Every structure is written in C-alpha cells, then in structure tokens.
Amino acid sequence: MAGLKRTPLFPQYRAFSEMRRIDFGGWELPVHYYGIQLEHDAVRQQAGLFDVSHMGEIYVTGQFAETMLQRLTTNDLARLHDGKAQYTLMCQEDGGVVDDLLVYRLSADQFMLVVNAANVQKDIDWLEEHLIGDVTLDNRSDATALLSLQGPKAQRILQSVTDAPLDKLKPFHFIGETEVCGLPVLLSRTGYTGEDGFELYVGADSACGLWSRLLEAGEPAGLLPAGLGARDTLRFEAALPLYGQELSASISPLEAGLLPFVKWSKGDFIGRDALRRQFAEGIPRRLVGLEMRDRGIPRAHYPVCDDDVRIGEVTSGTQSPTLKRSLGLALVPAAYAEPGTELQVDIRGKRLRAEVVRTPFYRRA
C-alpha cells in the first residue's frame, strides 16, 4: 500500500495481528481489528473506539465567517451558539451536494468544519472560491487526530478518564477545551453509528497516548477498537448517508431524505432556488429502504427493477449484523417509494424480490 496516507494512530495498528487494512480514499485504514461482527456488536451492546483521523478539519475565521457559511450551507447557522454543532450540507447551484459536514461554532467569528476525507481539497477549493470580507481558512486536518467513542457504555467509560460534566453535555454540543486521560481535547457528543457517543479531537502527537489509555480504561466494560467495516454497517442500519453513495453531485439533499437540514426560512443559499423548484415540482427520486424477500444481499450499484424495467439502483446494502436481515438503501423514482411496494434487485443477473420498508432499520431505545 505504498503511497497511501496514514493517520497518527497507524503505529498502534501493529498491536492487532488479525487486523485487515485497505485503501480507503487514499488512506491506509483498518477494515477490522478482530472482525466486523464482533466490533459491530460491541458498539451496539457495550462500546467501540474508532480512529477517524482521516476526516478533515477546516477552521473558518473572520467577522464575516458566519455570513459566508450561511450562504454556503443548507442548515441555519443562526441557530448555533458557542459550544453547539450542526449537521449541514454544501450544495452546488443545481442542488447537487458538494459535501455533507458538521459545523462547530467555536466563537462568533470562528467555526470548525469537519468534512469527509476524500473531499478535503475539493471543499477548500469551494470555500476559497466563495471567500468574502476578512474570512480566512486554516486546514488543520494533518495536525488533528479524531477518535470516536460510541455505544451505550461510552459515557461511563469516558467519565472515568475526564472531569468534564458528560451528563450535562447534550447531543450536538461540545466542550472546546477540556482534558481526557490528562490530554487536551475538544470533546463533542456526536457520532455516526446510531448510538450515543462522543468524538474527541486531539493534537496528532497526542493521539497514540489517548487511544491506548481509552482502550485500557474501557476494557472492563467490553470496549473494543472498531474499523471501517463496523462503522459502515452501523451507520447503514441507522440509515445515515455516506457521501459518494447516498449523496453526491448528482443526488440532492431532498432526494436523500434530508429535508430537515434544508432551512428555506433562513434566506438565500447556494442551491436554494434549484432545491425549491425540485420541492415544488415534486421530488423526482427518493432514497428508500429495501428488505429482500428472496435470498440475496443487495450491494451498492446493483440495479433495482420493476419487472423488466430498471428504475434505480442500490446505494448501500448488507446483511444487517443486528437485525439478521438482508437490507439495502436504494434511489428510486418517487412513485415507487411507498412502503410495501414490491420491486426486484438484480443480483449477478438474477432478479430477486424485495420490498420497500421504512427507515431507519435500527433505532436505539
């Protein structure tokens, strides 16, 4: 895997003899440490620790930072206060998605954007193209490591190594400066698994120490390291979108079912006119859940058919580790989006029966 980028935690990988690594968007990252099923179950039942340091962190600073980001994103930044984060999207003029991201308000004139790893340079180029006033960008991705501690026991484990008042930290809120395991971090109650959890932003040179101390602290509670495989199956069960599959330059937020994160009332933003037109005329395609009725597993890009006519395609699919059912997400014409609609998935030349079902497939109690 010569030439691939590595996270600051790469030296820790050597401790896991069963680990399997792959090229993920130019990064050498673990698919699993012990096995996808084991790691998936740990997150659903106890806790898992992810290295997601490949994600990008871009600081946007200046008196006009909020004004600029309001113009570039679909959600309403005016709803943020210091210490609060927001899920949002950046769109093209035609409504296609540049990226989906988290925006952290650090202060009135400074925001941190957390963007998808494969889109970091594209996002920076997009931001630079739309700079206004005194706004400056600072790409701190290489200097920042990101650890994600997820699962029903995540709070108990994390509270054992920090004095931060976790019981008072609400979802999508963060503490800008605190210590975990004696190391300075930005600590947020966010995640991508469908479980409660926390994300810890730490200097790259402190990442290995934080990783090993968290695993040690969580071992009695069943904490396991978790790789890309479990991260994908967990987010899939929760029907959380993955850029490049459920979202792209050719798939709008409305088609992906993300209307709650598109705020018409905030005023103008890039892509607003196209999205308003799409909404008024009727959203042409919908992202739906599929459950296989015949034996087979739907995978990304498999055709979805109505009898002999191809009408769409699977965006993500797997045998659900939690539910033990063969499930998929698919983009289909709106006329086929009603739960109970019978369709077929073409799996290696065989048309297998599937049914449209409600999402998310999994929701924590």
Side-chain angles (χ1 to χ4, degrees), residues 57-114:
E57 292 83 20
I58 304 167
Y59 284 68
V60 183
T61 305
Q63 179 183 353
F64 295 98
E66 181 176 318
T67 301
M68 174 185 139
L69 291 174
Q70 276 284 55
R71 166 89 175 134
L72 285 171
T73 60
T74 61
N75 211 332
D76 187 2
L77 264 68
R79 300 185 179 194
L80 292 184
H81 53 72
D82 294 358
K84 188 174 181 181
Q86 181 183 87
Y87 176 76
T88 188
L89 305 104
M90 293 192 294
C91 287
Q92 304 168 153
E93 290 286 1
D94 65 1
V97 178
V98 176
D99 204 0
D100 65 329
L101 62 151
L102 289 177
V103 178
Y104 288 69
R105 176 172 155 147
L106 304 173
S107 67
D109 61 0
Q110 187 174 60
F111 298 81
M112 180 176 72
L113 313 184
V114 182

Side-chain angles (χ1 to χ4, degrees), residues 221-237:
L223 175 65
L224 289 181
L228 291 174
R231 181 172 165 84
D232 191 53
T233 55
L234 290 158
R235 72 91 196 166
F236 167 77
E237 289 182 342

